[in-house]
Amino acid sequence: FFFGFGQRSKIIIDNMPDIAAASSIRGDHSPASIPMKGKCDVCTKPDQFQGHCLLKCKQCGVLVHELCYGLNPKGKHDPDFICLACKCIGTKIEVNTPSIIGGCGEDMGKTREFMTQMERPKECVLCNHHEGFHAMHPLYDSHGPEGRHYVLPQTGDLAHRKEKRLAWVHTLCASFLGDYFQTRGCVCGCDIY
């Protein structure tokens, strides 16, 4: 799997000014400069840690640093921030049919269908923690222009059935698997066999 935190992002961290120190020197005590309570869901560090602002999703309340979530740092709080998982609710998403990890096969990307994400995703395909709201990213079946959101097949019997659904991963789980700046915040599945 690849995740969108690459060397380009690390350079931004090294060159970013200490915003907390700059605002205290200027005497800036506006609501945007007051540290937000809570910790990042990805790195577990507080607001203004090494000058990075926390963003709070206005729908689910998940807290993330811009850089931890794969966003370009703006250095200020965004009261209108909506995480990727909440942003997709009610959205029609184009998927490949069939949806194959690694994007292999002659039929890959030739036919497509639309699926709608009906509720905020909580299920991570990389771990077994599916409770509460956490920072999440979509899992794509392949990189490049043919890659689309990966579709998990229907599983289980009548009593424990899970319908066909879009695949998501916790940002934290994906960040442990490696980084690749060209994915720009998307996680791409790959066939390891």
Side-chain angles (χ1 to χ4, degrees):
F1 295 94
F2 297 103
F3 194 65
F5 297 116
Q7 293 301 323
R8 189 167 39 169
S9 297
K10 291 177 184 168
I11 292 168
I12 292 171
I13 290 175
D14 294 339
N15 293 333
M16 189 166 179
D18 185 347
I19 296 165
S23 65
S24 64
I25 291 169
R26 290 192 315 262
D28 185 0
H29 297 290
S30 64
S33 69
I34 297 171
M36 189 179 294
K37 292 182 181 180
K39 294 183 179 182
C40 177
D41 190 58
V42 181
C43 74
T44 70
K45 301 294 183 192
D47 189 26
Q48 301 301 332
F49 178 74
Q50 294 185 349
H52 300 292
C53 287
L54 275 178
L55 299 176
K56 181 177 183 177
C57 177
K58 69 180 195 177
Q59 291 183 359
C60 72
V62 73
L63 293 168
V64 292
H65 288 116
E66 298 164 307
L67 207 57
C68 292
Y69 201 54
L71 303 173
N72 289 328
K74 295 179 183 171
K76 61 181 182 175
H77 297 118
D78 180 0
D80 296 321
F81 171 71
I82 300 175
C83 70
L84 294 173
C86 287
K87 199 178 284 188
C88 77
I89 300 170
T91 303
K92 280 186 165 183
I93 298 172
E94 186 178 40
V95 298
N96 286 322
T97 307
S99 189
I100 303 168
I101 287 291
C104 298
E106 295 176 13
D107 296 332
M108 184 66 171
K110 289 186 179 175
T111 60
R112 303 224 168 96
E113 66 181 5
F114 287 91
M115 292 183 67
T116 302
Q117 183 76 46
M118 299 307 292
E119 59 187 30
R120 190 195 188 282
K122 294 181 184 178
E123 177 184 10
C124 174
V125 300
L126 300 177
C127 76
N128 62 357
H129 183 76
H130 307 307
E131 300 297 320
F133 295 134
H134 294 282
M136 300 194 81
H137 275 76
L139 176 69
Y140 278 70
D141 54 16
S142 181
H143 67 327
E146 298 304 318
R148 299 287 182 272
H149 207 134
Y150 182 65
V151 178
L152 295 172
Q154 177 180 317
T155 58
D157 57 19
L158 289 176
H160 300 97
R161 176 167 291 179
K162 286 189 177 182
E163 296 300 323
K164 183 169 80 167
R165 62 215 179 276
L166 297 169
W168 288 83
V169 295
H170 292 127
T171 306
L172 179 62
C173 294
S175 67
F176 277 104
L177 297 176
D179 60 16
Y180 190 59
F181 77 93
Q182 292 179 332
T183 59
R184 292 182 182 88
C186 299
V187 182
C188 301
C190 60
D191 188 357
I192 59 174
Y193 299 104

